[in-house]
Amino acid sequence: MRYGLRRQQLPGDSQPSSQPTPEANGSPTRWAVPVEWSTEYTAHTVSTTVARFAPSGFRVASGDVSGLVRVWDSQGEGATKGEYHVISGRINDIAWDGDSQRIIAVGAGKERYGHCFTADSGNTVGEISGHSGPVNSVTIRQHRPLRAATGSDDGTVVFYHGAPFKFNTSLREQHQNFVHGVAFSPDGASLVSVGADKKIWLYDGKTGEARGQVGPGEHKGSIFAVSWAADSRRFVTASADHTVKVWDAEAGKVLQSWTIQGDASSMPHQQVGVVWPAGRTDGLILSLDLSGDLTYVVEGAQRPTQVIRGHQRSITAITLTQAVGRGDTLWTGSYDGQIRCWDVDTGRAESVQGEGHHNQIAGFIDSARTDGKIHTVAWDDTLRTIDIASRRFVAPLTHLSGQPKAIARIDESTVALLTPTGVQVYKNGTEMIQELSMKAAPLAIASGAKGAGVHLVAVAGEDHTVRVYSSRNEGLGLKLEGEVKDSTALITALAFSPHGEYLAVGNRQGKILVYDTSKYEVVIDRWSAHTARVTSISWNHEGTHAASGSLDTHLFVWSVSSPGKRIKMANAHKDGVNGVVWAADGKKIITVGADAAVKTWNVASL
């Protein structure tokens, strides 16, 4: 469950009167597509695999890789109503009955491949049998008499009578490979199945009798998903051949087809999920691809109306740029080497085009005010350049001698790279002009400006010491200026205030010390509310407040004038906050985390 499809309101925002008021510590905007309201459920402790709304719309059942199904409220605070260990393996699919009382969950268990139970108590209401391999899909007829169907890796569709649900018949002749999807039509008259053999079959929804194959040869790749229109006359399929097709169920013909992004040899754009949302009259269809992009298509339109992008892995790097005519742009990089650029106002993301990184993004720095470029480093041991205007990787490409940990901008033409043994200084992104070896392995780096023509670079080492270097002539390297040794734990985050008067130093124990850079003496030692490693620190433009994120999942906002006061955003990111930046207007803080989410926080009232 990577995307929230609606906008979460923040304290001070106007909000619908029918919705509950958020807690005082605030709720974030989780970017995906700007709509009215959303909820994020975080009770699963391992990766989630599927979530289904009950027909009533008031509850959701979600499953994870451990075989656990949780039932929770879709309204209010998302309170958990039930927790049921269904199988000893991954949950692949979940289905509700028409009364929103019974659930069937299926997957890759060891003792069994699925289970039928009540949503409120977990009592057994049938059994899933008849398969010899993991079950990929399940559907329940929404009208009486109740029926259910499952599709499996063993190539069979099994039909059940209920409730309680019992095996009725096994349909083995239709598919010759994995069955990926099964679905009853809303009126219960028909059942459809799709599979890796590129076939679509229709059945009688009451008896399970096969009616015939639909559109043989139309799809050129495995068909991964199917969904019915509300009128029960049409259905839509999604395939590995990059296409989404709408079918006339009675005629067995394609009514419309869309090819989503690129040629059929590109795996990331294989379409693996599709839904035809009920209750709409605009013909909207949503399709999900292997890379996590959510594509909106509308009947009658020849091209997708929009594509919602995000990250699918832990976000490991973040920066903000300002360009004339574009406003604030957020850049994020993730564990799998993907980079996205976000419009801060709308929350819309774009992918960066061209040959990019192939491993974890370690850091960004920008020179947007001069040449409109961003430099990036990653664990593929490369330093690359992105053109902000075109959203594309451009020359030069620099191969590094070792794995970079982070990057900092010294001046408009010079950058400093943190390596496992020291600091390397590069000019114009290509020429290494200086290499500094550290007495202790370096852990963190930050840069700042201090007066006209004076640039500072701070480097933290494993010896609990921060060494501060200065550069007074553009492009001529660094000289040691001072050291600070007050930290009692390994230093994990550094940040200079915008005008260079303060240096914030965060450590593994969750404490932040603030130094006056004119004397390198501690001026604030009360920023100590985190309970785990500080991962990121960011100052507002005025230098009056700083925000910090930590592995403890919390976000704190600190005041320089009142060091004992703080604002806490608890559980900002479920698996830890990896990055924090202030928006240029100072009214929002943007955070990223190991949960692959990007969130904004309203701090206009500071």
Side-chain angles (χ1 to χ4, degrees):
M1 300 193 303
R2 296 293 184 187
Y3 295 95
L5 291 182
R6 294 168 291 174
R7 182 178 183 274
Q8 286 179 297
Q9 301 292 325
L10 295 157
D13 288 355
S14 59
Q15 56 185 349
S17 59
S18 61
Q19 297 292 347
T21 302
E23 296 291 339
N25 64 355
S27 297
T29 298
R30 181 169 182 167
W31 282 342
V33 56
V35 275
E36 295 80 24
W37 188 269
S38 71
T39 301
E40 184 180 43
Y41 184 73
T42 59
H44 284 281
T45 58
V46 294
S47 297
T48 52
T49 54
V50 61
R52 300 283 188 186
F53 277 98
S56 67
F58 293 111
R59 291 191 178 179
V60 175
S62 55
D64 61 34
V65 296
S66 72
L68 192 70
V69 172
R70 288 177 175 268
V71 179
W72 44 280
D73 285 338
S74 62
Q75 308 293 317
E77 298 301 316
T80 300
K81 297 299 182 180
E83 179 180 321
Y84 313 111
H85 193 80
V86 176
I87 57 176
S88 56
R90 173 191 173 99
I91 301 293
N92 286 334
D93 200 8
I94 292 171
W96 290 81
D97 74 347
D99 299 326
S100 300
Q101 295 178 354
R102 303 174 186 86
I103 295 173
I104 300 179
V106 298
K110 296 178 181 178
E111 295 82 13
R112 60 186 181 185
Y113 297 118
H115 187 48
C116 316
F117 56 96
T118 57
D120 57 353
S121 64
N123 292 334
T124 298
V125 288
E127 63 178 15
I128 298 300
S129 60
H131 288 296
S132 60
V135 178
N136 299 316
S137 183
V138 61
T139 181
I140 299 178
R141 189 172 187 260
Q142 300 295 291
H143 299 275
R144 295 184 183 278
L146 293 182
R147 301 288 187 263
T150 53
S152 169
D153 276 0
D154 62 12
T156 63
V157 174
V158 174
F159 201 71
Y160 305 85
H161 286 188
F165 293 100
K166 296 180 180 180
F167 175 89
N168 176 258
T169 186
S170 178
L171 304 166
R172 299 179 177 274
E173 305 299 325
Q174 285 68 37
H175 291 281
Q176 283 73 52
N177 210 323
F178 303 153
V179 179
H180 288 310
V182 291
F184 280 104
S185 60
D187 63 6
S190 300
L191 171 70
V192 63
S193 66
V194 298
D197 56 2
K198 311 171 191 176
K199 293 181 178 180
I200 304 170
W201 276 85
L202 281 175
Y203 313 83
D204 184 277
K206 188 174 180 180
T207 66
E209 181 181 353
R211 290 177 180 166
Q213 186 179 351
V214 174
E218 285 285 348
H219 276 299
K220 308 304 180 185
S222 297
I223 307 172
F224 286 115
V226 61
S227 181
W228 285 89
D231 62 10
S232 298
R233 298 177 180 175
R234 297 162 296 155
F235 60 86
V236 61
T237 54
S239 170
D241 64 9
H242 292 203
T243 64
V244 174
K245 296 180 184 288
V246 174
W247 301 81
D248 183 315
E250 184 176 352
K253 295 182 178 180
V254 175
L255 298 177
Q256 187 168 0
S257 178
W258 297 269
T259 300
I260 312 295
Q261 302 215 17
D263 59 77
S265 63
S266 174
M267 286 188 62
H269 300 305
Q270 293 182 6
Q271 302 301 302
V272 297
V274 69
V275 64
W276 203 323
R280 299 183 67 103
T281 58
D282 57 359
L284 175 68
I285 296 168
L286 305 178
S287 181
L288 182 71
D289 71 18
L290 194 60
S291 69
D293 292 351
L294 194 64
T295 301
Y296 288 47
V297 296
V298 176
E299 278 190 292
Q302 297 304 308
R303 296 171 180 252
T305 57
Q306 65 174 317
V307 179
I308 305 301
R309 298 181 175 91
H311 289 284
Q312 301 302 305
R313 297 290 184 268
S314 173
I315 302 176
T316 55
I318 181 174
T319 194
L320 192 73
T321 63
Q322 292 177 282
V324 177
R326 282 188 176 268
D328 289 354
T329 301
L330 182 75
W331 301 80
T332 56
S334 58
Y335 176 81
D336 55 0
Q338 298 298 306
I339 294 177
R340 300 285 184 264
C341 54
W342 306 75
D343 185 304
V344 173
D345 294 328
T346 66
R348 297 279 175 84
E350 299 178 44
S351 298
V352 178
Q353 303 301 310
E355 180 65 25
H357 292 290
H358 306 291
N359 211 323
Q360 176 174 322
I361 307 300
F364 297 104
I365 57 100
D366 76 275
S367 54
R369 292 177 179 82
T370 55
D371 62 0
K373 301 291 193 299
I374 284 181
H375 297 294
T376 70
V377 291
W379 285 8
D380 57 8
D381 301 347
T382 60
L383 169 62
R384 296 177 183 266
T385 302
I386 299 172
D387 179 74
I388 293 175
S390 65
R391 309 298 204 247
R392 179 174 290 276
F393 286 98
V394 295
L397 163 64
T398 302
H399 291 279
L400 306 175
S401 59
Q403 187 178 85
K405 291 185 174 183
I407 187 171
R409 179 162 62 94
I410 301 174
D411 52 49
E412 298 300 345
S413 65
T414 315
V415 300
L417 272 63
L418 197 68
T419 71
T421 58
V423 175
Q424 295 177 348
V425 180
Y426 281 80
K427 186 174 182 179
N428 299 322
T430 57
E431 179 188 359
M432 187 171 70
I433 61 173
Q434 186 180 17
E435 185 168 13
L436 300 174
S437 296
M438 301 285 111
K439 297 178 181 179
L443 301 175
I445 190 171
S447 62
K450 185 181 179 182
V454 180
H455 304 276
L456 301 177
V457 174
V459 181
E462 279 189 347
D463 55 0
H464 299 194
T465 300
V466 178
R467 294 170 177 84
V468 181
Y469 299 85
S470 63
S471 173
R472 299 179 183 274
N473 296 290
E474 185 170 326
L476 295 182
L478 302 172
K479 293 183 179 181
L480 184 64
E481 180 170 293
E483 295 182 348
V484 295
K485 301 182 178 182
D486 300 281
S487 180
T488 59
L490 291 178
I491 296 164
T492 54
L494 300 169
F496 283 100
S497 61
H499 306 295
E501 68 268 42
Y502 299 120
L503 172 63
V505 178
N507 67 28
R508 189 172 64 177
Q509 294 178 343
K511 187 169 184 176
I512 301 172
L513 298 176
V514 179
Y515 293 85
D516 182 334
T517 57
S518 64
K519 304 175 183 178
Y520 294 107
E521 295 179 352
V522 176
V523 291
I524 299 174
D525 62 0
R526 301 179 64 186
W527 294 1
S528 56
H530 284 298
T531 58
R533 175 163 67 96
V534 178
T535 56
S536 181
I537 305 171
S538 178
W539 292 84
N540 67 347
H541 183 69
E542 294 78 16
T544 58
H545 294 81
S548 62
S550 167
L551 284 183
D552 63 10
T553 75
H554 306 321
L555 169 69
F556 282 97
V557 180
W558 312 92
S559 169
V560 172
S561 60
S562 302
K565 295 182 179 179
R566 59 182 180 265
I567 298 174
K568 178 181 180 180
M569 279 69 86
N571 303 313
H573 290 271
K574 179 183 177 183
D575 299 315
V577 181
N578 287 346
V580 179
V581 295
W582 287 75
D585 61 8
K587 297 179 180 179
K588 294 187 291 290
I589 294 172
I590 306 170
T591 61
V592 297
D595 56 2
V598 179
K599 300 182 182 181
T600 64
W601 307 81
N602 186 348
V603 291
S605 59
L606 288 178

